[in-house]
Amino acid sequence: MSLAIVFPVSGTTWTRGGSGRVAWSATGSSVGGTMEVALCDATDPDNVLPVADLAAGVRTDRGSLTVDVSPTWPPSQSYAIRVVVDNDAEPPVYSPRFSVI
């Protein structure tokens, strides 16, 4: 299966206490499987660290998801979304870095 995060893109800003959109494109034989979505600190691209689990059991063919942006997340310009497809040996997929204010 091939999965690509199409939103957020570089330059996106989410506001704490609001909501954010995550969108992806999935193709291949495992479309319709499930995945986990997490917010990560990508300050160091060689050591991306999870900050918050955003959703689990999301169908890969869903295409998008709206998440609550916690007011407790520290403001940063170095967040990324990480998607891990359940029961798939492929490595995690990351979005470009974006901001939370």
Side-chain angles (χ1 to χ4, degrees):
M1 173 155 116
S2 174
L3 189 136
I5 298 172
V6 297
F7 199 83
V9 296
S10 182
T12 298
T13 299
W14 289 358
T15 302
R16 293 180 300 158
S19 62
R21 181 174 166 261
V22 178
W24 59 90
S25 172
T27 58
S29 62
S30 297
V31 171
T34 59
M35 63 186 199
E36 299 176 8
V37 181
L39 179 73
C40 294
D41 176 350
T43 302
D44 178 354
D46 294 324
N47 188 27
V48 178
L49 303 171
V51 173
D53 293 326
L54 301 178
V58 178
R59 288 186 53 91
T60 57
D61 57 1
R62 182 173 170 176
S64 69
L65 175 70
T66 299
V67 298
D68 293 327
V69 180
S70 175
T72 63
W73 295 343
S76 175
Q77 296 177 356
S78 298
Y79 283 117
I81 296 298
R82 179 186 69 202
V83 170
V84 177
V85 177
D86 298 330
N87 301 317
D88 192 344
E90 295 297 317
V93 176
Y94 292 92
S95 73
R97 292 191 295 182
F98 67 98
S99 300
V100 172
I101 58 170

